[in-house]
Amino acid sequence: MFQVSRIPAARLLGAAALSFASLASLSAADPAAAVGADAGAGAGAGVPHGDHLTVTVRNAGPAADGTFELYCHPAGGSHPDPAGACAVAERDTRWGQDTFAPVPESSICTMQYGGPATAHVTGIWAGRPVDVTYDRRDGCEISRWNRMVPLLPEVGAPGRS
């Protein structure tokens, strides 16, 4: 018959509890903070830490087109509205979900055209690489774009002011 003494069992239980506590503290850490700390390592003074995105917009109009740098945590960069852009990306950031996910292939989308505007977003967000493209070719893509305003510029329907 197998017999377990109380002392080794208590040690095993204590070690398991300690391991669980260590794991819980690691998983609770903000991955963006870790990336931000590494992102500035070796960089020159004045380089912001935290999440970094490069947003390139084309065919959205002369006031909106261009390439903009966005830093979050703290907000900064050449983006026209860094605080608003960081807030919209942060709003949709959830553990295990892609903030910049494409429209699912099985989606049924309205056949409407939102104009020729495109945007390409690259960088690091919440510790994960980002390389995503936005356009306005149908109702689903228009909604996806609009959810990311002001990270992406607000674009009206063609022919409207």
Side-chain angles (χ1 to χ4, degrees):
M1 172 171 255
F2 183 77
Q3 186 175 358
V4 177
S5 72
R6 291 181 182 212
I7 292 175
R11 286 182 183 159
L12 181 61
L13 185 58
L18 184 60
S19 296
F20 179 76
S22 297
L23 236 124
S25 68
L26 285 175
S27 65
D30 181 10
V35 169
D38 292 343
V47 175
H49 299 287
D51 297 316
H52 171 245
L53 298 173
T54 301
V55 181
T56 301
V57 180
R58 290 193 166 79
N59 301 314
D65 286 356
T67 298
F68 308 98
E69 298 296 322
L70 175 67
Y71 294 91
C72 299
H73 311 110
S78 62
H79 190 281
D81 182 4
C86 291
V88 77
E90 188 71 39
R91 176 192 69 204
D92 290 336
T93 300
R94 303 279 185 280
W95 183 258
Q97 294 180 2
D98 183 0
T99 304
F100 304 95
V103 173
E105 288 188 30
S106 61
S107 298
I108 298 173
C109 304
T110 58
M111 299 290 292
Q112 66 188 84
Y113 181 64
T118 62
H120 186 210
V121 180
T122 59
I124 299 291
W125 183 260
R128 299 176 68 189
V130 175
D131 187 353
V132 63
T133 302
Y134 290 84
D135 61 40
R136 300 175 60 81
R137 68 176 170 248
D138 61 35
C140 294
E141 293 293 343
I142 293 169
S143 292
R144 181 173 170 248
W145 179 296
N146 290 344
R147 276 192 307 275
M148 296 307 285
V149 170
L151 175 67
L152 304 179
E154 187 166 0
V155 178
R160 291 189 186 171
S161 340

